[in-house]
Amino acid sequence: PGANEPAGGSGGFFPAGTGWYRKRFKAPVAWKGLLASIEFDGIYRHGEVWLNGRRLGLRPGGFTTFRFDLTSLLRLGAENVIAVRVDNSAQPNARYYTGSGINRHVRIRLAQPLHLVPDGVQLTTTRLAADRGELQVNARVRNTGAEPQAFTVESTLTDPAGKVAGTVKAKAQAAPGATVPVSLLVKVKRPQAWSPETPVLYTAVTRVLVDKDKLETDRHAALVGLRTVSVSAARGFELNGQPLKLLGGNAHSDNGPLGTAAFDHAEFRRAALLKAAGFNAVRTAHN
């Protein structure tokens, strides 16, 4: 680091430039018939990816999650090489410290030909009263197989004590290469509302099952708080029908001496410190 670095003071006087990563791994033969993709939670900046010498693509920018398909280029039962080129040489490019390189988790995801689209499950509280609540589940199912598929999407909501609070199923069909939206409404008796004072979390599990053999091909699990939000000029921000003053703070992607490398425990610790200081809202700028 030095005063002459192109990133300047806003970049912490740290060097930037271009960097390379290489990962060697063996793809098991058991992956045959599955879809494989590589997912990056974040690279700063301009991440370009290759598998076994073949270019998969380039993701400009530096803050968004992205993924590339690996299926057709994987060598099953043999060694594979993933190479990543990071180009953060165009400096300065921000008014705050961004770091350089792969700064968040990287994972390989496997899926059956009939599967939930990545980030394809949305959960929304559509009703919240003392006697009943409703959770809207919108799912997108993709069929990359060669045959049409008749399938069932099942969503189950479990309360914090592990008791099933509601479950619902819906049948659908997907032609080869098609992506099908499926909507379900889970009804909950006597719901426990989420609030900053009572942060009750349910578990929502959404499954995809092939009708002919009841085989589960995919599932998505998420923690969800049952809550409603509204904003009006007359009453301001309301949570669960009650006005709430937002006491917010800003949180950038860097984490003190850890830089911009994201460590799970450090992120949880930061959220706990903000809450202990009296904040009930956070602006996750540049995350």
Side-chain angles (χ1 to χ4, degrees):
N4 295 324
E5 292 293 344
S10 60
F13 298 108
F14 271 86
T18 301
W20 284 88
Y21 299 81
R22 285 181 176 83
K23 172 69 174 180
R24 299 179 184 274
F25 68 100
K26 186 174 182 179
V29 177
W31 289 4
K32 185 178 181 179
L34 300 178
L35 304 174
S37 61
I38 187 167
E39 183 176 72
F40 296 86
D41 282 351
I43 295 178
Y44 204 88
R45 172 175 181 258
H46 290 3
E48 196 169 7
V49 185
W50 287 261
L51 174 62
N52 298 327
R54 296 286 296 275
R55 184 178 183 272
L56 302 180
L58 165 71
R59 173 52 63 93
F63 295 108
T64 54
T65 296
F66 64 95
R67 59 186 64 85
F68 291 119
D69 180 62
L70 305 178
T71 310
S72 63
L73 297 177
L74 274 177
R75 299 167 181 164
L76 299 181
E79 184 180 77
N80 295 265
V81 180
I82 289 179
V84 180
R85 181 180 185 269
V86 181
D87 185 0
N88 193 21
S89 58
Q91 293 290 337
N93 59 45
R95 57 180 175 79
Y96 45 86
Y97 179 68
T98 63
S100 293
I102 300 175
N103 53 18
R104 301 177 193 162
H105 296 313
V106 183
R107 62 188 67 82
I108 287 181
R109 291 195 178 276
L110 302 175
Q112 297 283 349
L114 184 70
H115 60 276
L116 292 162
V117 174
D119 302 324
V121 177
Q122 286 81 41
L123 309 171
T124 306
T125 305
T126 55
R127 175 176 175 176
L128 187 61
D131 61 334
R132 194 177 80 172
E134 294 178 350
L135 182 71
Q136 180 75 42
V137 181
N138 292 325
R140 290 185 295 150
V141 180
R142 181 176 295 156
N143 178 19
T144 61
E147 301 293 332
Q149 290 281 10
F151 62 93
T152 297
V153 177
E154 177 189 271
S155 285
T156 301
L157 194 66
T158 306
D159 68 20
K163 182 180 178 181
V164 174
T167 186
V168 66
K169 299 179 181 180
K171 290 185 175 295
Q173 292 188 352
T179 298
V180 178
V182 180
S183 294
L184 308 97
L185 191 65
V186 183
K187 298 180 180 180
V188 184
K189 292 182 178 179
R190 296 181 294 278
Q192 302 177 60
W194 182 97
S195 72
E197 293 74 30
T198 58
V200 177
L201 293 176
Y202 288 75
T203 300
V205 177
T206 301
R207 303 195 301 152
V208 178
L209 302 103
V210 178
D211 286 352
K212 63 181 179 181
D213 54 15
K214 306 303 179 184
L215 175 67
E216 178 183 302
T217 62
D218 204 357
R219 71 163 51 203
H220 175 274
L223 294 174
V224 58
L226 301 182
R227 59 187 179 183
T228 61
V229 170
S230 63
V231 180
S232 67
R235 292 175 60 83
F237 180 90
E238 292 180 90
L239 178 68
N240 303 333
Q242 298 297 319
L244 178 69
K245 300 299 182 186
L246 296 179
L247 306 175
N250 288 331
H252 279 229
S253 55
D254 62 294
N255 212 331
L258 297 180
T260 60
F263 298 93
D264 292 351
H265 179 73
E267 302 301 332
F268 282 116
R269 176 179 178 273
R270 176 159 59 173
L273 289 172
L274 287 167
K275 186 174 181 180
F279 293 100
N280 65 6
V282 62
R283 173 179 178 256
T284 55
H286 316 302
N287 276 278

